Amino acid sequence: MIIQLKRIKLQTRKAEEAVNITASVEEVVRKSGVKNGLVNVLTSHTSSGLLVTEGIPCLEEDILTHLARLFPEDADYHHRRYLDYDGRLGFNADAHLKSVVGGISCTFPIENGEIVKGSRQTIYFMEYDGPLQRTYLVQVLGE
Amino acid sequence: MIDFHTHPVLIQELREKYPNYERAAREVFYIGNNFQPLETFFLEMDVAGIERAVLLPIDCRRARKTSVSSNEQVAELVGKSRRFVGFASVDPQKKGAERELEAAIRKLGLKGLKLDPALQDFDPKARSAFAVYEAAEALKVPLVIHTGMSWAPGTRLERGHPLALEGALRQFPKLNFVLAHFAWPWVWEAVAMALKYPNVFLDTSCLTYDSPKEFFQFVFSKQIPTTAIERSLRNQIVFGSNYPRVEIKNMAAALRSLNLTEACLRKIFKENAERLLGE
């Protein structure tokens, strides 16, 4: 049984963006030596997300646009207050809520050393409060 | 476009190089955000439409046992990018503070002075502070001085009252005083001082509750009318974000959300800062 965890840093470059990380997840799986098992991918941050959809720019734009419609930046959020543990105010509730609704992880099976996924399925790291250097986790489990 | 109020306290490259850097951020400046590579700073500026940022250190070695960024660290960052403008900080209660300031300006190439009577724990009306103001005036550099509320634990609110500076700014009329954070909650006092004294500037880095947009709408349309900025203070306000306590992009968007003319915004975002920097 192999259990391998990789922490991968990602520099996001915009306030909001969808970053295709499929290739780097596939590379971790290939290098792990696992032939049959599972790969789990998740973000380490509560104002970012991890999701799977078809890898085309129009959908990337639609996801961000409609999450923003659900959680407008200017809506009334209780989070807008001084957070004494952080020494600063929380005014990014919209980013947190997008993360909650959009999800923070995905799991795929591994078969014969390759991720088993639909041909159009693309793994995205979702930045909702950038630009920031972020970390996402890729854990491979199997034999 | 210039951000006149940033603190280089969460730079990953400096944390790896300087042993006390992380403690200063966590325990003295009191901020819990993750450290970020320098690249994030530039990207944050890009997203906000800001070309240059003034980096402010705070010399609180006597009061807090460490600096919140040192003059040397600021100079090091300025050496990495023309997008940074570095200021110096000295402790007025330390013997030789004036000479230290002169060295920071002449040898390190820093462009202004930053003081924080609350975090540095000194009386801004003391004779020793006046000696530093005099040195800054002689060096022809502006002073950014903390006014208003300070979040840092162990600091006294009274240290940030802007009226404590009235004697100094009368005695040194050629020294430009930038009252940081719009002196919130003493906004009226700060505005009165700016109206009365031409060497008083105010920076916009105020945010104490709600979101940047909500807070700006409150301070700049209810505490004082927006027209007071447009008509009377347009030449004495500079944009400041207080990054990384607040993201630059949010503060810039908040300022742009006010009902100010493009000409007024251009002065606040750029021209007034350039004038202060002698450009």
Side-chain angles (χ1 to χ4, degrees):
Chain A
M1 177 80 167
I2 298 170
I3 303 176
Q4 192 180 92
L5 177 65
K6 289 279 183 194
R7 294 169 176 83
I8 299 177
K9 290 191 186 308
L10 171 70
Q11 177 71 57
T12 63
R13 312 189 76 79
K14 299 177 182 173
E16 290 192 315
E17 63 178 320
V19 183
N20 183 342
I21 59 168
T22 312
S24 79
V25 176
E26 287 171 338
E27 188 185 349
V28 172
V29 170
R30 269 197 302 276
K31 287 183 175 172
S32 73
V34 169
K35 297 299 177 195
N36 293 288
L38 289 171
V39 59
N40 192 35
V41 190
L42 62 157
T43 175
S44 297
H45 312 277
T46 57
S47 59
S48 67
L50 212 300
L51 56 78
V52 176
T53 189
E54 187 172 355
I56 45 179
C58 54
L59 275 175
E60 294 171 3
E61 195 177 332
D62 283 341
I63 291 164
L64 291 171
T65 300
H66 289 277
L67 282 174
R69 184 175 54 78
L70 280 174
F71 306 111
E73 186 192 333
D74 294 333
D76 185 12
Y77 301 109
H78 282 97
H79 187 51
R80 290 178 173 176
R81 65 182 184 89
Y82 180 65
L83 307 171
D84 56 357
Y85 57 88
D86 241 359
R88 53 168 291 158
L89 276 95
F91 47 79
N92 60 348
D94 56 321
H96 289 298
L97 294 178
K98 288 168 190 170
S99 173
V100 169
V101 168
I104 60 159
S105 68
C106 68
T107 303
F108 284 99
I110 299 168
E111 184 182 57
N112 299 322
E114 299 288 335
I115 296 178
V116 181
K117 62 179 184 59
S119 62
R120 297 192 177 188
Q121 284 185 313
T122 301
I123 306 169
Y124 281 103
F125 182 92
M126 301 300 294
E127 177 59 82
Y128 301 125
D129 191 21
L132 286 168
Q133 186 187 72
R134 299 294 206 170
T135 302
Y136 62 92
L137 310 176
V138 183
Q139 187 168 48
V140 185
L141 304 93
E143 299 173 332
Chain B
M1 304 265 279
I2 298 172
D3 184 340
F4 218 81
H5 194 128
T6 73
H7 294 281
V9 294
L10 291 179
I11 310 288
Q12 219 168 69
E13 290 88 339
L14 295 187
R15 179 182 61 169
E16 287 158 12
K17 194 169 172 185
Y18 299 102
N20 265 341
Y21 186 77
E22 181 165 4
R23 189 181 81 76
R26 298 293 187 232
E27 296 174 21
V28 181
F29 192 74
Y30 198 64
I31 188 163
N33 290 51
N34 291 333
F35 286 84
Q36 289 286 322
L38 199 49
E39 186 181 12
T40 299
F41 202 135
F42 296 128
L43 289 166
E44 177 68 29
M45 291 166 67
D46 291 343
V47 166
I50 295 295
E51 290 144 358
R52 290 189 291 159
V54 171
L55 305 179
L56 303 173
I58 307 170
D59 180 357
C60 41
R61 286 174 288 182
R62 172 186 48 81
R64 315 286 164 188
K65 308 282 188 273
T66 185
S67 282
V68 176
S69 312
S70 66
N71 297 342
E72 290 74 17
Q73 287 166 356
V74 166
E76 183 179 331
L77 292 170
V78 171
K80 291 178 188 292
S81 173
R82 297 168 66 100
R83 299 184 72 181
F84 287 147
V85 179
F87 272 38
S89 184
V90 296
D91 180 356
Q93 287 196 20
K94 186 180 165 192
K95 199 175 174 187
E98 304 89 321
R99 285 194 302 279
E100 202 176 319
L101 174 62
E102 186 176 354
I105 303 299
R106 297 201 193 285
K107 293 182 182 165
L108 295 178
L110 302 179
K111 303 292 184 191
L113 171 63
K114 161 70 177 178
L115 295 174
D116 184 338
L119 202 60
Q120 293 180 281
D121 195 21
F122 73 88
D123 179 356
K125 292 183 282 190
R127 185 180 296 175
S128 56
F130 273 54
V132 172
Y133 305 145
E134 185 176 10
E137 186 183 56
L139 288 161
K140 298 184 170 58
V141 294
L143 163 62
V144 173
I145 186 159
H146 177 95
T147 53
M149 184 173 167
S150 175
W151 288 114
T155 55
R156 290 157 58 181
L157 279 170
E158 66 174 354
R159 289 281 197 228
H161 201 293
L163 282 178
L165 298 169
E166 189 175 20
L169 57 93
R170 287 168 65 93
Q171 186 161 332
F172 304 105
K174 290 181 182 167
L175 173 61
N176 287 321
F177 288 73
V178 180
L179 309 190
H181 315 298
F182 229 86
W184 195 94
W186 299 293
V187 170
W188 285 358
E189 289 87 339
V191 166
M193 290 167 73
L195 292 172
K196 187 172 169 69
Y197 301 107
N199 59 332
V200 170
F201 289 71
L202 307 170
D203 92 31
T204 64
S205 66
C206 55
L207 177 65
T208 314
Y209 42 73
D210 298 337
S211 71
K213 275 186 190 170
E214 288 170 325
F215 198 75
F216 274 34
Q217 290 290 341
F218 170 68
V219 174
F220 302 124
S221 72
K222 294 185 173 62
Q223 276 193 289
I224 59 167
T226 312
T227 48
I229 296 173
E230 182 73 40
R231 297 167 185 165
S232 301
L233 297 169
R234 54 168 34 197
N235 293 313
Q236 288 167 274
I237 296 175
V238 289
F239 170 70
S241 67
N242 204 17
Y243 179 77
R245 186 90 67 196
V246 192
E247 279 67 33
I248 304 170
K249 65 179 190 286
N250 300 85
M251 295 297 267
L255 183 60
R256 291 187 184 105
S257 75
L258 298 173
N259 189 25
L260 294 168
T261 62
E262 279 304 313
C264 183
L265 285 172
R266 196 162 53 247
K267 284 175 181 287
I268 295 172
F269 271 119
K270 185 174 166 64
E271 292 167 3
N272 296 339
E274 287 174 340
R275 204 167 74 250
L276 278 169
L277 294 170
E279 297 174 352

